[in-house]
Amino acid sequence: MNNLKKIMIAFVLSCTLLEGEEYTFGDGFQLGDSPVIIGGYLSSVYGIEKDSRVFDIDDLALLAYGEFDQYDFLAEFEATDLYRKEFGAHADESSNSTFHIERLYGDYYFGENEQLRVGKFNSDVGFWNQMPINVLRDTTSSPNLVKDFFPKLTTGIHYESRQSERAIRRLSLTLQHNADIDREYNNFTVDRHYAFACDVGEKETLWRFGGGYFRYLPAHEALYALGAFRMEKKGWDFLFESIVRRDTDDDKLSYDVYAQGVWHWRAEHDAILRTEVEKAPLTRFHDTTVVAGYTYRPLSNVALKGEYEAHQESRLNRWLFSLSLLF
């Protein structure tokens, strides 16, 4: 696997250096006259907690993607915590240059409304999990819902059908019955994940429902169900997601619910407020979080963010500031 990753990363870099004829900041290199694009993204984060300060070059990722008639593909290789420096009570310094396979998939389109995806991809669960890149998200931090309750990434097959004239606008099915392409790069080490999702409503006011089963190491199984709502109005966005989970070796339900509002008060400026309540799986840890943030986008592919995260337990409170960009 390590050799495979090195070969694929070397191929991407070679294409960028030798074949790229045109570069647009934020849109990457186009390889000659082909529809293949090479690009990437970078994010850095500065955090202030009770007893420490942390600077982290959080993500560096290389992307390759393209569309060919009825086919398209995406390859993404990411290194996290590329450089990390902590000051204060827990002073430390570390680096990590290991790239992992975050996404690697191909799509086949049966027509305008049907699609089959094979490979490693973001699990089709809710709305937030479809926004994995910092620069595209509203805040630097993510709700605990997308970190603690289901596999963020799936290696397998995903089928999607869209019908604009029906009550159910979109239906998707996911099947994983194998190990992850890169087992070290996921929030759970899974070898089974079966899930479904469906959308009801319009683009501006959309409901999304779903559920699934997954098996994760060493020998645990879990079921989950999710309901989500997204509303987009002029000057405002509202997002709500709620999930319940039951592990087969635990007879008690765990849950998470969050609601977020975004005010686009000026063309490049957003104000964000999010509140979340969680009872974490297995640990039974209860937490209530309120996040107040501000995002400035001088360019569509560049984001400067600041936020304060208040927790039920004050020792967890923190400030986060980040700079992220697509290149």
Side-chain angles (χ1 to χ4, degrees), residues 28 34 37-38 44 84 160 181 193 224 250 272 279 317:
S34 78
I37 304 294
I38 303 296
S44 59
R84 182 181 175 89
E160 181 177 299
I181 290 178
H193 187 200
Y224 65 88
D250 186 352
I272 304 104
K279 183 171 78 171
N317 295 352

Side-chain angles (χ1 to χ4, degrees), residues 68-252:
F68 307 85
D69 295 326
Q70 291 180 275
Y71 302 88
D72 64 30
F73 79 95
L74 184 144
E76 178 180 352
F77 308 96
E78 183 176 70
T80 60
D81 293 329
L82 198 67
Y83 173 77
R84 182 181 175 89
K85 176 72 173 179
E86 187 168 357
F87 309 88
H90 308 289
D92 194 15
E93 185 175 19
S94 62
S95 61
N96 174 32
S97 59
T98 302
F99 279 80
H100 291 279
I101 299 173
E102 179 164 15
R103 292 183 290 175
L104 181 63
Y105 63 78
D107 290 328
Y108 177 76
Y109 296 89
F110 298 96
E112 294 183 359
N113 299 321
E114 288 186 282
Q115 171 187 344
L116 182 68
R117 175 169 293 176
V118 179
K120 184 174 182 178
F121 46 84
N122 288 94
S123 301
D124 187 9
V125 184
F127 294 110
W128 193 284
N129 199 53
Q130 310 312 309
M131 302 178 288
I133 300 175
N134 187 342
V135 70
L136 302 179
R137 299 196 303 261
D138 295 313
T139 57
T140 300
S141 63
S142 294
N144 291 325
L145 181 147
V146 297
K147 297 184 290 185
D148 297 342
F149 286 82
F150 58 88
K152 294 175 65 176
L153 299 164
T154 296
T155 296
I157 299 172
H158 177 254
Y159 169 78
E160 181 177 299
S161 175
R162 298 174 296 277
Q163 300 292 335
S164 60
E165 302 301 322
R166 297 183 180 179
I168 297 179
R169 298 305 179 100
R170 187 184 71 98
L171 175 66
S172 81
L173 300 172
T174 299
L175 171 63
Q176 175 177 348
H177 196 82
N178 46 263
D180 198 315
I181 290 178
D182 190 336
R183 296 174 66 126
E184 297 179 3
Y185 204 76
N186 206 346
N187 56 331
F188 293 96
T189 304
V190 294
D191 60 3
R192 302 287 187 273
H193 187 200
Y194 315 128
F196 77 94
C198 66
D199 291 356
V200 179
E202 305 292 339
K203 181 180 179 180
E204 293 79 12
T205 55
L206 188 65
W207 287 93
R208 178 166 292 175
F209 303 98
Y213 157 88
F214 64 98
R215 188 173 76 179
Y216 62 103
L217 299 180
H220 301 290
E221 297 174 293
L223 299 165
Y224 65 88
L226 177 138
F229 175 72
R230 185 182 68 196
M231 180 172 63
E232 298 176 352
K233 296 294 184 181
K234 185 177 181 180
W236 288 89
D237 292 340
F238 176 76
L239 184 60
F240 166 88
E241 294 190 284
S242 179
I243 194 168
V244 293
R245 171 176 146 179
R246 183 181 182 276
D247 286 67
T248 55
D249 51 0
D250 186 352
D251 60 357
K252 295 181 180 179

Side-chain angles (χ1 to χ4, degrees), residues 307-322:
E307 64 198 68
Y308 181 68
E309 191 176 287
H311 290 263
Q312 183 174 322
E313 292 194 24
S314 60
R315 63 181 178 83
L316 301 175
N317 295 352
R318 61 177 180 169
W319 288 90
L320 286 177
F321 302 92
S322 72

Side-chain angles (χ1 to χ4, degrees), residues 138-139 270-274 291-295 306-308:
D138 295 313
T139 57
D270 295 336
I272 304 104
L273 182 65
R274 182 173 71 241
V291 175
Y294 164 78
T295 297
E307 64 198 68
Y308 181 68

Side-chain angles (χ1 to χ4, degrees), residues 40-43 59 131-140 295-297 299-305 322-327:
Y41 60 87
L42 174 70
S43 67
D59 288 321
M131 302 178 288
I133 300 175
N134 187 342
V135 70
L136 302 179
R137 299 196 303 261
D138 295 313
T139 57
T140 300
T295 297
Y296 171 55
R297 300 181 187 274
L299 299 171
S300 61
N301 62 309
V302 177
L304 291 160
K305 303 176 186 178
S322 72
L323 167 64
S324 56
L325 57 89
L326 286 165
F327 55 84

